[in-house]
Amino acid sequence: MWLFRWKGASGFSAYSTAEDVTRGIDGTALTAIVTGASSGIGLETARVLALRGVHVVMAVRNVDVGRNVKETLLQERNDAKIDVLELDLSSMASVRKFASEFQSSNLPLNILINNAGVMATPFMLSLDNIELQFATNHLGHFLLTNLLLDIMKRTARESKREGRIVNLSSEGHRIAYREGIRFDQINDESGYFSWFAYGQSKLANILHANELARRLKEEGVEITANSLHPGSIIMTNLMRHHGLINAVGQTIGKYFLKSIPQGAATTCYVALHPQVRGISGEYFMDSNISQPSIQGKDEDLAKRLWDFSLTLTNTRLANFQQSSFPSVAM
């Protein structure tokens, strides 16, 4: 049972579920991509969006698991519109392939939910030789967003409806490395600390949304970009690298921690609720606007991260090249 039930300005609280915050909302004219939609918060987000009539594209690493999840969701609403596409955010080639396949589908795109992630892993490199948490949690989503942005702009223009980009961050962004983003030491194994690296990637999620919001406002595009903290230590498979914490959480967590339906609430609120219309560049928690750390508000840091990420992902070229890593220590 979640102990903290007081409501914020939105009328919702930490106790609210994803179904609570979307009750009465008709999403039948909308299409959404949800990354990491085969488990945890991503699955619950996809379920509730589909329940509200949204056409959901599940972006998942394991397509077979994704298809099984789809069949389960269709049992709840047999007319739900759900597609499953493969996406491995730790691989830029996979991100590009996903974006190309989605573009070929000729579907519109109203909502992009950058949900998938890994938490506090041992030091590992992605398929593109970048520290895994930074690569998966931030860079993969940064590239995906950039590749899909033109589709979202066209959808917003043609539908005359606001597009929404939602980045799942975490209060863990407050325990990043001292400098926030270690631009010159992303791949430094000797100075690696798993929780600081996780915080760094979650800080990057906030900074990405903030800088994207600034650019979209400047361009006059009717698309918002926001970040959020889903809730205090929700017991999902993110904790699989921490056996003791996971075991304790599964045993007593139900009495003190958010459930997955509660954890998905803020995501669904920011993605669908009319109260959020026109709000961009904000950080949400418990389905209310909150405040990130000082680094999470740093405009210069956000701009520097944008340029750094653009260099790493090499989004201006059709193919990824290793030569786009001038400042990454290998």
Side-chain angles (χ1 to χ4, degrees):
M1 180 179 64
W2 184 249
L3 301 179
F4 305 102
R5 303 191 182 194
W6 54 80
K7 295 180 180 180
S10 69
F12 301 112
S13 71
Y15 187 69
S16 303
T17 67
E19 288 196 27
D20 292 336
V21 303
T22 58
R23 188 162 285 117
I25 296 175
D26 180 6
T28 53
L30 304 174
T31 300
I33 290 174
V34 182
T35 69
S38 60
S39 65
I41 292 173
L43 191 161
E44 179 67 3
T45 297
R47 184 188 74 83
V48 172
L49 293 185
L51 191 65
R52 303 308 179 212
V54 178
H55 185 163
V56 176
V57 178
M58 299 172 58
V60 299
R61 282 194 306 168
N62 189 319
V63 173
D64 289 337
V65 172
R67 287 173 180 155
N68 289 337
V69 169
K70 173 183 174 178
E71 292 306 312
T72 301
L73 297 182
L74 288 174
Q75 292 175 17
E76 183 172 7
R77 178 169 177 165
N78 59 17
D79 65 341
K81 294 174 287 186
I82 303 171
D83 293 312
V84 179
L85 287 178
E86 183 178 10
L87 173 65
D88 181 350
L89 287 158
S90 70
S91 164
M92 295 189 202
S94 177
V95 174
R96 293 183 186 282
K97 182 172 180 282
F98 174 91
S100 178
E101 289 179 350
F102 182 81
Q103 184 175 17
S104 297
S105 73
N106 293 316
L107 287 172
L109 183 58
N110 305 92
I111 302 166
L112 173 61
I113 299 178
N114 292 321
N115 163 83
V118 293
M119 176 187 282
T121 62
F123 181 83
M124 289 183 275
L125 296 179
S126 72
L127 294 173
D128 301 299
N129 293 318
I130 304 171
E131 189 276 309
L132 186 65
Q133 294 192 80
F134 189 79
T136 304
N137 297 352
H138 168 62
L139 276 181
H141 283 127
F142 177 87
L143 176 59
L144 179 67
T145 302
N146 277 6
L147 293 175
L148 296 175
L149 205 49
D150 282 344
I151 299 174
M152 293 198 72
K153 289 177 182 179
R154 183 173 67 250
T155 301
R157 183 173 61 250
E158 293 177 354
S159 67
K160 295 181 170 53
R161 297 189 67 157
E162 175 183 273
R164 298 187 182 182
I165 297 170
V166 183
N167 280 4
L168 265 74
S169 179
S170 166
E171 281 290 88
H173 80 276
R174 299 181 190 277
I175 56 167
Y177 296 107
R178 182 188 304 177
E179 59 268 55
I181 309 295
R182 305 177 86 195
F183 294 105
D184 298 321
Q185 297 174 289
I186 288 296
N187 285 359
D188 180 12
E189 184 175 2
S190 64
Y192 181 81
F193 181 68
S194 63
W195 287 102
F196 288 170
Y198 175 71
Q200 171 180 249
S201 71
K202 295 289 100 180
L203 174 61
N205 292 148
I206 296 174
L207 296 173
H208 172 215
N210 291 353
E211 177 62 12
L212 180 58
R214 185 190 69 80
R215 288 168 178 261
L216 292 169
K217 287 177 185 177
E218 198 173 75
E219 195 176 335
V221 178
E222 197 176 1
I223 299 173
T224 62
N226 293 291
S227 58
L228 63 91
H229 168 60
S232 299
I233 316 182
I234 302 153
M235 296 313 298
T236 70
N237 63 358
L238 274 177
M239 300 302 297
R240 61 188 177 274
H241 295 289
H242 301 275
L244 178 60
I245 297 175
N246 190 49
V248 172
Q250 296 293 348
T251 302
I252 66 172
K254 61 184 178 180
Y255 300 108
F256 302 101
L257 308 177
K258 273 192 177 185
S259 67
I260 289 175
Q262 291 166 343
T266 305
T267 301
C268 291
Y269 174 76
V270 176
L272 279 186
H273 206 284
Q275 289 179 353
V276 187
R277 178 171 176 77
I279 297 175
S280 196
E282 295 288 353
Y283 176 69
F284 288 78
M285 181 165 59
D286 298 334
S287 300
N288 284 276
I289 293 177
S290 188
Q291 294 296 319
S293 67
I294 293 174
Q295 287 179 324
K297 299 178 182 179
D298 190 326
E299 294 181 3
D300 291 334
L301 188 61
K303 291 174 184 176
R304 186 179 177 192
L305 175 65
W306 184 280
D307 292 340
F308 182 70
S309 303
L310 196 63
T311 299
L312 291 184
T313 57
N314 207 6
T315 53
R316 292 176 180 168
L317 299 178
N319 298 304
F320 172 74
Q321 299 172 345
Q322 287 290 341
S323 60
S324 62
F325 285 78
S327 59
V328 178
M330 293 298 187

